[in-house]
DNA sequence: CAATGTAATTAATCGCTGTTTAATAAAGTC
DNA sequence: GACTTTATTAAACAGCGATTAATTACATTG
């Protein structure tokens, strides 16, 4: 068959990733496959290997797009105008909301573990660094007398905490109250900050 | 071939689960398969279906054993003699240590999401409830004037927080400092408790 | 325009997976 | 010893990621 140049390489890549996102959203990561993606865009499965190194590479590129979406979702300029504590609260709520809105994409982002041979792509690591940077900013406003390392560690701790809440909620069954995740993240952030301020004044 | 009754049903089940744990520890959950497990115990893959409903069921039973191990690891009576704050710290460190010692089993416990059709087995839910109970005890000692619901929510929040730290550490690359997880969990617990106490006195 | 070379696309194949089915062999029963 | 029951397996099925050879379309040259 081979209708050549009907789509450019980049077009094919974009079509495949878009189709994969749709399949992922509708059927979950378990049901995702090269054959289904290829069929969805009217190509053969083998053609995907001209655009992706392998299935793992395709997943990384999916995750990269998801991370970009997540960063954009946290990029409301409202965070700039709010006071630092409220900004942190807002980040937490937005993170949980993102995990709710895109459960499958968000889940793939963290369930897809690096298969030991290759390490995390640079662009993914940069996005994660960017994510932590967002949290460090209001934190450094709140704790001006703390070192950059302490701010960085606190940012990672708080993000890990909110992430853990999202993880447990995603795996159902761990919370009886459904609306509890938001409140839990809120108190986690509030009490951590209050406690840290208490440490300093002591 | 069919040498019958060489092993009882329960023996076969035990052999399969033990072999699966070895394979899991050595090669990870991705490499685990019914054929490999069966070969390891000198049986055919089909024989496993007399003891396990399906592969998912086998994973659930693996996870059940892992949860039992985790509960046992947290069952040091030292927690009873320590003051509440130190007991919580100890639980956190022991949880992180468990995730370090059994990375593959611990990972399977949370990566293996329920495939929608069947819900989490009762025995697993009970074990999780037991886990939360352990955390609630020192918390209720620290915060005697709080309601059971508030204690319960705090226990889940703190456990989610420590769990999130373990998750991020397991997926490598998210922390530059390797020994940082312990310190992060420690400060998370300490500052949360301090902050909560501050809330009360206010 | 025709011939050649090149690159895209696919059908077929490989080895793997979980799962089911029919055949087989051993044990229990009368 | 004959018959039933049950454990066990080999074989098959559908699907997976990945590779390969063949085919088809395009581009380039003479």
């Amino acid at each position: 068959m081979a209708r050549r140049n009907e789509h450019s390489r980049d077009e094919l890549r974009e079509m495949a990733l878009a189709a994969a996102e749709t399949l992922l959203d509708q059927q979950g990561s378990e049901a995702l496959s090269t054959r289904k993606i290829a069929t969805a865009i009217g190509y053969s499965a083998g053609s995907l290997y001209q655009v992706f190194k392998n299935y793992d590479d395709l997943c990384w590129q999916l995750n990269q797009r998801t991370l970009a979406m997540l960063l954009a979702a946290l990029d409301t300029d409202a965070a700039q105008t709010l006071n630092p504590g409220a900004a942190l609260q807002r980040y937490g709520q937005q993170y949980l909301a993102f995990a709710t809105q895109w459960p499958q994409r968000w889940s793939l982002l963290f369930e897809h573990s690096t298969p030991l041979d290759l390490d995390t792509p640079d662009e993914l690591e940069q996005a994660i660094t960017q994510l932590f940077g967002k949290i460090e900013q209001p934190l450094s406003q709140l704790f001006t007398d703390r070192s950059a390392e302490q701010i960085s560690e606190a940012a990672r701790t708080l993000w890990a905490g909110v992430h853990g809440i999202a993880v447990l909620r995603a795996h159902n069954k761990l919370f009886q109250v459904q609306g509890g995740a938001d409140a839990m993240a809120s108190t986690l952030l509030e009490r951590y900050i209050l406690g840290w301020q208490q440490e300093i004044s002591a």
Side-chain angles (χ1 to χ4, degrees), chain A:
Chain A
M1 321 239 162
R3 68 248 118 104
R4 201 175 123 178
N5 276 359
E6 185 167 327
H7 301 106
S8 76
R9 257 181 153 78
D10 281 345
E11 281 172 343
L12 181 61
R13 200 184 78 97
E14 175 60 33
M15 286 166 63
L17 288 175
E21 282 171 344
T22 301
L23 282 169
L24 179 62
D25 290 337
Q26 291 175 350
Q27 311 186 29
S29 61
E30 307 272 314
L32 202 60
S33 78
T34 56
R35 285 175 170 84
K36 283 184 191 168
I37 297 171
T39 302
I41 61 177
Y43 274 82
S44 152
S47 287
L48 296 178
Y49 288 82
Q50 202 156 26
V51 177
F52 305 103
K53 184 184 165 193
N54 49 32
Y55 183 70
D56 251 41
D57 180 32
L58 191 154
C59 286
W60 279 124
Q61 296 200 27
L62 279 180
N63 285 340
Q64 205 169 307
R65 289 157 70 103
T66 303
L67 252 182
M69 278 183 64
L70 173 58
L71 281 171
L74 297 179
D75 231 343
T76 53
D77 49 5
Q80 302 286 349
T81 62
L82 294 172
N83 65 69
L88 283 172
Q89 290 284 350
R90 194 179 197 86
Y91 282 148
Q93 302 304 317
Q94 283 172 329
Y95 184 76
L96 289 177
F98 185 87
T100 301
Q101 190 175 5
W102 307 103
Q104 304 294 349
R105 302 190 194 190
W106 176 80
S107 162
L108 184 69
L109 191 54
F110 293 97
E111 282 176 6
H112 187 68
S113 57
T114 313
L116 298 118
D117 45 335
L118 285 180
D119 40 9
T120 313
D122 270 359
E123 282 175 315
L124 264 186
E125 287 206 71
Q126 286 177 9
I128 293 172
T129 304
Q130 219 175 323
L131 191 70
F132 284 133
K134 281 186 178 297
I135 310 172
E136 286 172 13
Q137 191 186 347
L139 270 181
S140 56
Q141 282 182 258
L142 278 174
F143 300 92
T144 52
D145 52 347
R146 292 323 216 181
S147 73
E149 286 79 18
Q150 286 173 310
I151 294 290
S152 174
E153 184 181 293
R156 286 161 196 271
T157 303
L158 287 178
W159 189 67
V162 175
H163 177 68
I165 293 172
V167 167
L168 263 56
R169 181 187 58 175
H171 286 262
N172 300 343
K173 304 288 175 187
L174 293 182
F175 302 99
Q176 52 275 75
V177 186
Q178 198 48 257
D182 283 340
M184 287 167 65
S186 179
T187 57
L188 178 70
L189 292 169
E190 181 182 327
R191 290 170 187 170
Y192 183 96
I193 293 171
L194 234 74
W196 198 6
Q197 288 170 336
Q198 191 74 0
E199 268 183 37
I200 296 172
S201 64

